[in-house]
Amino acid sequence: MKAVYIDAHGPLERVQVGPIEDPAPKDDEVLLAVKAAALNHLDIHVRNGRPGVEIPMPHVLGSDAAGVVIAAGPRTHGVREGDHVILNPGLSCGCCEFCLRGEQSLCASFGIVGLSRPGTFAEKVAVPFWCVRPKPAYLTFEEAAALPLATLTAWRMLMTRCRLQAGDTILIHGIGGGVALAGMAIALNAGAEVIVTSSSPDKLRKAAALGARHTIDYRTKDVAARAREITRGRGVDVVMDTVGAATWPVDFAAVRKGGVIVLCGVTSGAIAETDLRTLYWNQLTVMGSTMGSAEDFRRMLAAAATVRFKPVIDSVVSIDNAVEAMRKMETGAHFGKIVLKVAN
Ligand SMILES: [Zn+2]
């Protein structure tokens, strides 16, 4: 089968598009014919590798996918050949303390398709049967592929962790990324006032058109000062941070007393300083969040279907042009999800 894979960790040049052996699904797995797959920042981290984390090579990249079930093992349930499905790429053991609580993304052995096992940028992928759900009928395969990882992550951050409410004000850094855009849509549907930042006037214009009440160009404006101005000195209720090191000090300067900072990614770097006086004096809550539970996924899909939510798609490109697509994501030139079309 054709796949996008690496045979060693390293820069983008390591990524190859070509033939690779077909996956062999186990008894409790389904084999999907992938129709579409979507890029995530996670792909870059997987490609670069992390010291101490061994990945068998060659390794197929990719975590998001939508496709058709072409085989279901004898120990699968509720999935049949021919089903149109989307993938929840979170992998959990099903039997640890956290899984039994329904908190799969806290699982002691939590993993992700494309990180802990071969990924979705391929004509076929084998996944545990409980990872697939019916594809929402109102979405095309390309739209469905763009939904899972980013929207699930944003959903858990804002709805499950922060319990965002109507009337809240939220600051979202780096609008244009999949999680940030999904976060904006979720916040708007929840009745929150959304402030977004970017270095691109074009992205800010697009975000305003999608419903952002205030936009801040962080190259020309002090984001925290502007957020305080917008909120008449009060500060925002919630800061949604997917950027990490570069925005961390801004988060603490922009959030109101008693407010919440929620972090799910560190695209600008993982090490940051915190003024602990601000943390305790202002009685702030700092939360980390990773992907989501099975229940988060169910609720996210249900809410998405109710409002006919469609993820913002930057572009749909052929799997043959995966390297170009990855370069675009890496330079941050995209607005929304970049989707690989794998099959018609
Ligand atoms: Zn577990």
Side-chain angles (χ1 to χ4, degrees):
M1 66 171 183
K2 188 189 287 179
V4 181
Y5 66 95
I6 50 172
D7 46 26
H9 292 296
L12 191 60
E13 288 67 37
R14 297 241 66 116
V15 177
Q16 304 187 45
V17 183
I20 199 169
E21 222 174 291
D22 277 24
K26 298 193 179 109
D27 285 357
D28 61 352
E29 293 178 356
V30 292
L31 187 63
L32 304 186
V34 178
K35 293 283 192 186
L39 271 58
N40 289 288
H41 263 275
L42 176 64
D43 312 332
I44 300 172
H45 299 306
V46 173
R47 195 197 67 213
N48 287 336
R50 258 217 305 228
V53 181
E54 281 283 322
I55 295 180
M57 298 287 171
H59 179 74
V60 179
L61 298 168
S63 299
D64 274 329
V68 179
V69 175
I70 47 174
R75 288 174 52 223
T76 62
H77 306 280
V79 196
R80 271 194 285 183
E81 232 176 274
D83 284 358
H84 291 191
V85 294
I86 61 169
L87 179 66
N88 175 356
L91 300 165
S92 51
C93 74
C95 54
C96 75
E97 174 193 349
F98 303 102
C99 284
L100 292 174
R101 282 190 212 166
E103 287 291 4
Q104 287 82 4
S105 65
L106 290 175
C107 175
S109 54
F110 186 69
I112 304 173
V113 173
L115 169 67
S116 326
R117 56 182 295 146
T120 58
F121 297 168
E123 287 172 319
K124 294 172 197 164
V125 64
V127 292
F129 76 91
W130 57 84
C131 289
V132 299
R133 288 285 174 275
K135 178 182 80 66
Y138 75 96
L139 296 175
T140 64
F141 280 107
E142 288 81 18
E143 290 164 345
L147 195 70
L149 198 147
T151 317
L152 174 64
T153 301
W155 179 271
R156 181 171 178 84
M157 288 176 88
L158 300 187
M159 302 309 283
T160 310
R161 302 281 282 137
C162 293
R163 303 204 171 275
L164 194 72
Q165 293 181 45
D168 280 349
T169 301
I170 180 170
L171 172 65
I172 303 176
H173 293 294
I175 202 70
V179 178
L181 279 166
M184 180 167 82
I186 291 164
L188 289 170
N189 274 306
E193 182 182 42
V194 176
I195 306 169
V196 299
T197 77
S198 174
S199 61
S200 155
D202 184 48
K203 289 185 183 182
L204 292 174
R205 261 194 304 277
K206 286 177 178 163
L210 289 169
R213 179 77 64 82
H214 306 279
T215 63
I216 308 174
D217 185 336
Y218 66 74
R219 286 174 317 172
T220 57
K221 286 259 166 52
D222 178 326
V223 172
R226 181 73 191 111
R228 293 226 164 247
E229 212 172 85
I230 290 165
T231 55
R232 295 180 181 153
R234 173 180 177 271
V236 299
D237 296 288
V238 174
V239 182
M240 182 188 194
D241 194 341
T242 61
V243 179
T247 46
W248 195 243
V250 179
D251 299 351
F252 287 82
V255 75
R256 70 161 166 86
K257 281 195 164 190
V260 181
I261 297 165
V262 63
L263 177 84
C264 78
V266 291
T267 53
S268 70
I271 307 297
E273 269 188 9
T274 307
D275 184 336
L276 297 172
R277 288 167 302 186
T278 314
L279 178 62
Y280 77 77
W281 186 252
N282 290 346
Q283 304 193 52
L284 304 179
T285 302
V286 175
M287 289 178 176
S289 197
T290 292
M291 293 191 43
S293 66
E295 174 64 1
D296 290 328
F297 195 66
R298 186 193 70 76
R299 279 185 185 273
M300 179 276 285
L301 286 182
T306 301
V307 299
R308 291 289 185 268
F309 168 73
K310 291 189 175 188
V312 178
I313 291 179
D314 173 87
S315 46
V316 178
V317 300
S318 161
I319 188 173
D320 297 318
N321 301 324
V323 175
E324 273 315 302
M326 288 172 169
R327 183 168 291 124
K328 185 176 190 186
M329 179 177 65
E330 214 151 337
T331 56
H334 59 298
F335 186 85
K337 301 297 290 179
I338 301 172
V339 177
L340 297 183
K341 193 171 179 70
V342 179
N344 282 315

